[in-house]
Amino acid sequence: MLDLVIDEFAKQYLHSDLREIREAMLGKLDGLSEYDVRRPLTTTGTNLLGLVKHLAVTEARYFGEVFDRPSPEPVPRWDDLSGRGTDMWATEHETREEITGRYRRAWAHSDATIAALAVDSPGHVPWWPRPDVLLFNVLVHVLTETSRHAGHADILREQLDGEVEAAGRDAAFWDDRRAEVERAARAAAG
């Protein structure tokens, strides 16, 4: 009986964190122009709307195909090499609303899968070296993936307009902090 309680707690805890980070991810688009949500901000072309598009595919694939609960929307095949990376940016024909809507619909499908299955339900990830997994493994993986990309989004947003999520911290605080870090880096470098 205790195992069931712990399993349910783990599933709900991970699912709650996933729900929270999804909302934070979409919040990074708020108030930005179409250009700013799409523009490449790194050498590899990383951009905010592309990260959202990628996470929609990630959720659809992991909480869909892996548990034989295919997404109601088309998802690029994982083994289609010609399509690799196209989920990391938005074409001029894809609207912000289409991509964010797709992400929200992927959440709904994922949430239904998570609700329907026990945390120890088996799945199969053919692109992993150890493909036989449990819902627990996939929850941890998708939460990690989403959190990593939310961190990328934090940095991209800061590059665009200086927005940072740090309650009670103003621009003067961050100017002082940056100067302190710069002094330490120069001192360490000799």
Side-chain angles (χ1 to χ4, degrees):
M1 183 65 163
L2 183 58
D3 287 344
L4 289 174
V5 171
I6 291 170
D7 288 352
E8 191 58 29
F9 171 79
K11 182 172 111 170
Q12 293 308 317
Y13 187 90
L14 294 169
H15 194 190
S16 175
D17 280 2
L18 179 59
R19 286 183 176 122
E20 187 177 311
I21 200 69
R22 288 167 173 163
E23 291 292 347
M25 190 65 209
L26 282 185
K28 292 301 172 185
L29 305 178
D30 291 347
L32 292 176
S33 70
E34 279 305 309
Y35 176 68
D36 282 341
V37 297
R38 295 165 180 271
R39 68 189 256 211
L41 294 165
T42 68
T43 304
T44 60
T46 304
N47 62 90
L48 289 167
L49 195 56
L51 290 173
V52 171
K53 183 178 174 183
H54 170 69
L55 289 171
V57 170
T58 297
E59 287 220 21
R61 188 168 284 142
Y62 279 100
F63 291 113
E65 295 171 35
V66 167
F67 295 101
D68 199 26
R69 297 172 59 91
S71 171
E73 297 189 38
V75 179
R77 285 200 41 87
W78 66 271
D79 56 356
D80 177 10
L81 298 180
S82 68
R84 269 287 145 86
T86 59
D87 65 327
M88 296 298 290
W89 60 282
T91 71
E92 66 272 20
H93 305 294
E94 295 174 295
T95 69
R96 178 192 315 217
E97 291 74 25
E98 286 170 342
I99 291 171
T100 58
R102 188 178 318 135
Y103 190 31
R104 288 188 182 279
R105 288 187 302 277
W107 297 358
H109 186 259
S110 298
D111 291 347
T113 297
I114 294 164
L117 301 177
V119 75
D120 61 352
S121 293
H124 186 77
V125 186
W127 53 93
W128 282 11
R130 293 184 311 249
D132 294 324
V133 297
L134 303 175
L135 178 62
F136 176 81
N137 304 104
V138 171
L139 270 165
V140 169
H141 178 78
V142 173
L143 176 59
T144 301
E145 177 89 355
T146 306
S147 296
R148 180 174 56 233
H149 290 314
H152 297 148
D154 287 341
I155 293 167
L156 297 179
R157 182 66 191 245
E158 186 177 347
Q159 280 183 278
L160 286 168
D161 66 2
E163 181 188 293
V164 294
E165 286 184 28
R169 307 291 190 184
D170 62 8
F173 171 86
W174 292 114
D175 289 343
D176 290 346
R177 171 61 55 84
R178 188 175 189 295
E180 180 182 14
V181 173
E182 179 65 27
R183 277 192 301 277
R186 289 188 182 280

